[in-house]
Amino acid sequence: ALLHLMNHVWPNIFETSPHVIAAVFESIEGFAVSLGVPVIVSYVLPGLFHPARRVREVYWKIWNTLYIYGADALSSCYPVLENEGVNTYRRTQLEVFI
């Protein structure tokens, strides 16, 4: 039910009036607590590198909020990368605990 509610709130991240922006960002913080940070990250990742600057700015604000309030939960959202010769990307101890 909360995910359905978030799908109704999410399009309002591009509003311009300050009171609506504040309410939407507070609701997204609440959804991060109730649904979990990985669910919100799945909504945020596509917009982080959007071609339009205005879209990127909004998504980066949300990402920074998630990073501040849920940095420990973000580690499970990072992609698993394969090693490439000199560079080692494996997270063996982290994968054991997750």
Side-chain angles (χ1 to χ4, degrees):
L2 286 175
L3 192 60
H4 182 69
L5 179 62
M6 191 179 87
N7 287 332
H8 286 288
V9 171
W10 194 261
N12 295 317
I13 62 175
F14 301 113
E15 286 291 328
T16 56
S17 59
H19 66 282
V20 175
I21 292 172
V24 168
F25 275 78
E26 288 177 10
S27 66
I28 290 173
E29 290 175 16
F31 288 132
V33 170
S34 60
L35 295 172
V37 173
V39 174
I40 309 300
V41 168
S42 68
Y43 280 77
V44 171
L45 284 179
L48 288 180
F49 303 103
H50 194 275
R53 179 185 52 85
R54 181 160 153 48
V55 173
R56 280 193 316 267
E57 287 176 351
V58 172
Y59 278 97
W60 276 104
K61 282 182 189 176
I62 297 170
W63 175 263
N64 290 335
T65 302
L66 291 175
Y67 186 78
I68 291 170
Y69 292 116
D72 56 337
L74 283 176
S75 62
S76 65
C77 304
Y78 296 141
V80 177
L81 301 173
E82 297 298 324
N83 296 337
E84 334 177 305
V86 179
N87 300 323
T88 304
Y89 298 114
R90 292 294 290 188
R91 300 171 294 177
T92 56
Q93 289 184 337
L94 180 63
E95 291 172 352
V96 170
F97 290 110
I98 293 178

